[in-house]
Amino acid sequence: MARKFTVSPTKLRTFHQCPTKYKLEYIERLGRFYRKPRAGFSFGASLHNVLEQFHTQGGPEAVTVEALTETLASKWQSQGYRDAEQEQAYKAEAVKILAAYHARAVEVPIEEAPVTLYSEKTLNAPLSPEIVLSGRVDRVDQHPDMSLEIVDYKSGREVVEPEHVAGALAMSIYQALLKHHHPEQRVFATIIALRTGSQASHEQTPEEREWLLADCLETAETLRNKDWDGVLPVLNDHCPDCDYLPHCERYWKRQRRMEGYVDES
């Protein structure tokens, strides 16, 4: 049986940002040569791993704040920091974040506390006989009224508004995927800014879900059938933060040389 073509929020977002980046990442698979560790990524991943264990082990009723700090030490990722001083500053910030997170969790009355249904769970749903939509959620909680809440952590953001959740492609896809598996239950999504505790939610309407799935299918068909040989590097707003910028700069340098420009760099 032929393997189905799979698209995810990351794949779709990458293509919308820059087709060349998609080509280098998913077609030519050059990431291992260009992708570099970053402090923010390591910091976020460390917190995600600690909070995953916190919720799967029973939350504040079962896990003390001291235990959270111990888990952080065992889950800490050290890649990407400029030096030991910067890493230590990030680690101290992580301890503060986890203590505040635990304090907020303790304040929720037991009778109102949700139960974690999934943690770091991959959800899939068919878009067509040949295409699958896939997404990995940080956490899904089931509330006493049986509603399902998708929870996503942001370690670099300080403020979250409902429109941020509504406009986040990943959160929209997660809602559509979860609704596919639990059609009879209310589904909504929440983003939590870990540094401040700010959070906001959005519940996708049936019309929003229908439009989203149609758009994902259209983009997936484009990705599946595109002539990638004709996709060449083009300067855009995402270039300064892109790991593949050196690759594209070499291409642009070759093009200038072929066109007769003198390289004075």
Side-chain angles (χ1 to χ4, degrees):
M1 180 181 297
R3 186 175 181 180
K4 294 185 178 181
F5 184 76
T6 300
V7 289
S8 66
T10 302
K11 276 189 172 184
L12 295 169
R13 183 173 58 250
T14 300
F15 176 69
H16 289 311
Q17 286 180 347
C18 177
T20 298
K21 182 177 180 180
Y22 183 96
K23 174 185 176 181
L24 297 173
E25 180 73 22
Y26 297 106
I27 305 301
E28 299 186 359
R29 300 186 181 278
L30 298 180
R32 65 186 184 278
F33 301 115
Y34 291 95
R35 205 179 297 117
K36 54 188 176 184
R38 299 174 186 266
F41 292 165
S42 294
F43 181 69
S46 300
L47 288 170
H48 274 65
N49 291 336
V50 174
L51 292 176
E52 177 191 6
Q53 186 166 316
F54 173 67
H55 286 284
T56 55
Q57 290 184 345
E61 296 299 315
V63 182
T64 66
V65 68
E66 291 79 15
L68 271 183
T69 302
E70 293 175 2
T71 303
L72 176 67
S74 65
K75 299 286 187 180
W76 184 256
Q77 297 185 17
S78 296
Q79 302 87 352
Y81 295 100
R82 182 179 60 250
D83 50 35
E85 183 178 358
Q86 185 190 43
E87 181 179 359
Q88 192 57 42
Y90 269 90
K91 190 175 291 186
E93 180 69 15
V95 171
K96 292 179 182 178
I97 287 172
L98 293 173
Y101 188 95
H102 190 280
R104 291 192 298 271
V106 168
E107 292 175 355
V108 179
I110 295 178
E111 63 273 14
E112 298 178 12
V115 175
T116 297
L117 192 64
Y118 305 130
S119 184
E120 298 297 330
K121 172 79 169 179
T122 298
L123 301 172
N124 298 304
L127 290 176
S128 75
E130 298 83 20
I131 298 173
V132 172
L133 182 63
S134 180
R136 187 174 180 84
V137 296
D138 287 349
R139 196 174 97 224
V140 175
D141 287 348
Q142 182 168 279
H143 289 263
D145 64 358
M146 301 303 290
S147 63
L148 299 177
E149 179 184 19
I150 300 162
V151 180
D152 195 70
Y153 312 119
K154 298 298 181 186
S155 59
R157 186 179 296 181
E158 295 189 352
V159 178
V160 185
E161 302 291 347
E163 55 265 30
H164 297 152
V165 187
L169 176 63
M171 300 304 286
S172 297
I173 288 176
Y174 298 156
Q175 288 188 72
L177 291 171
L178 191 62
K179 191 69 174 178
H180 172 79
H181 290 279
H182 300 272
E184 302 304 319
Q185 291 174 260
R186 179 192 172 211
V187 170
F188 65 103
T190 298
I191 292 177
I192 300 176
L194 292 175
R195 289 182 182 272
T196 62
S198 171
Q199 64 179 67
S201 303
H202 171 73
E203 183 175 353
Q204 190 176 60
T205 67
E207 293 76 19
E208 288 173 333
R209 184 163 55 253
E210 181 179 355
W211 180 90
L212 171 73
L213 293 175
D215 186 64
C216 287
L217 176 58
E218 181 179 354
T219 305
E221 289 286 8
T222 298
L223 295 175
R224 195 164 69 104
N225 299 306
K226 194 171 186 62
D227 175 14
W228 292 102
D229 289 339
V231 175
L232 301 175
V234 176
L235 188 67
N236 65 62
D237 292 341
H238 300 284
C239 289
D241 296 319
C242 181
D243 288 339
Y244 291 107
L245 182 58
H247 177 281
C248 297
E249 287 179 329
R250 285 195 296 272
Y251 168 81
W252 294 326
K253 186 175 181 179
R254 288 196 303 270
Q255 289 300 107
R256 290 195 299 270
R257 191 162 54 241
M258 291 172 61
E259 293 170 3
Y261 289 99
V262 176
D263 189 353
E264 298 179 352
S265 60

